[in-house]
Amino acid sequence: MSAQARFAQAMVAWLNARFAHKGIVITEHTPLFKGVIDSLGILELIAWTEVNTGETIPDEDIRMDNFGTVARIARTFVCEEIHAHG
């Protein structure tokens, strides 16, 4: 499994536990700003992303388009391993 896929899987689990309202299931492609996460929740989302990538997100990268879905967050902020294992 790729680093982006592992990150996305972990984030989806966290988002569902933290933000999913009754009857809603958040997936990698769920628009996060359409009733899922509010303005305070975005701060939690950014912090969770930083902790789980081990990187500080530069202010200029904190834009709605970079945080619109889990898939977009993973593509934007998770680097894939370049070398093969083994």
Side-chain angles (χ1 to χ4, degrees), residues 37-77:
I37 294 181
D38 61 17
S39 57
L40 292 177
I42 186 62
L43 299 175
E44 287 183 63
L45 181 64
I46 293 166
W48 192 95
T49 301
E50 289 181 331
V51 166
N52 286 276
T53 61
E55 300 288 332
T56 300
I57 298 172
D59 289 344
E60 61 270 13
D61 289 341
I62 299 175
R63 304 186 321 249
M64 286 185 70
D65 61 323
N66 285 340
F67 286 89
T69 66
V70 172
R72 176 63 186 204
I73 295 167
R75 282 193 312 272
T76 303
F77 299 109

